[in-house]
Amino acid sequence: MKKDDCIFCKIAAGEIPSTTIYETGEFKVIFDIAPASKGHALIIPKEHYDNVFSIDAEVASKLFPLATSVAKALKAETNCDGMNLLQNNGAVAGQTVNHFHLHLIPRYEGDGVKLACEPGDADKEYLAELAEKVKKRI
Ligand code: 5GP
Ligand code: ZN
């Protein structure tokens, strides 16, 4: 369902212009308006889902095969040295557009792009308990 105040719904519908790399009935692949690196692309489902917690599982199942194709095509044309696939959910996780999207960020030696998280300490007891609880919900 389209959301009236959503910029990516408008982009998906072609109401706001975007540099479109690829399009299917269900997805639009565009270049990010403020790229973190050369070739920074976004895969957007045309249907509105706020984030990973609400995306339809069947739509999501088509996302990664598409992502692999787009990643290979971007790599072939940009000659990037690597690529981050990034997907933010919730403001606390850095989501600024509340319409699900997957970032493909080509990486180049010495590009200085900062995305990595710092390693932390694993609480083994907590993780063992959490694994048991989460397992039951999947
Ligand atoms: P988020 O922080 O939600 O994971 O990522 C949102 C991304 O959407 C940002 O990288 C931002 O630059 C991009 N973006 C925001 N508005 C527009 C727009 O109107 N057009 C395009 N192509 N990208 C946008
Ligand atoms: Zn939307």
Side-chain angles (χ1 to χ4, degrees):
M1 183 105 121
K2 195 173 158 234
K3 258 185 127 180
D4 285 343
D5 58 345
C6 174
I7 193 157
F8 282 3
C9 280
K10 291 194 172 89
I11 286 175
E15 292 164 13
I16 290 179
S18 61
T19 307
T20 303
I21 306 164
Y22 187 73
E23 193 167 357
T24 67
E26 283 179 299
F27 294 97
K28 197 152 179 167
V29 186
I30 65 171
F31 280 127
D32 196 292
I33 204 166
S37 71
K38 277 190 176 162
H40 181 171
L42 304 171
I43 301 182
I44 303 173
K46 290 185 175 178
E47 196 72 34
H48 182 95
Y49 305 102
D50 283 351
N51 52 42
V52 74
F53 305 117
S54 58
I55 192 168
D56 177 80
E58 201 180 318
V59 174
S61 75
K62 295 173 188 158
L63 181 74
F64 221 78
L66 176 57
T68 61
S69 295
V70 176
K72 286 174 203 162
L74 281 172
K75 180 164 167 44
E77 289 299 330
T78 63
N79 284 318
C80 61
D81 303 303
M83 188 174 295
N84 291 106
L85 267 60
L86 176 72
Q87 202 275 306
N88 299 323
N89 301 280
V92 73
Q95 187 176 13
T96 58
V97 177
N98 291 321
H99 176 130
F100 182 102
H101 53 279
L102 178 69
H103 296 258
L104 291 91
I105 306 173
R107 298 299 304 272
Y108 307 89
E109 292 294 345
D111 64 18
V113 174
K114 289 186 188 69
L115 298 168
C117 38
E118 298 293 323
D121 294 319
D123 179 340
K124 285 185 185 157
E125 208 173 304
Y126 168 77
L127 291 177
E129 277 175 28
L130 185 62
E132 283 308 311
K133 290 178 186 166
V134 171
K135 194 190 297 180
K136 294 188 185 115
R137 291 182 179 271
I138 297 174

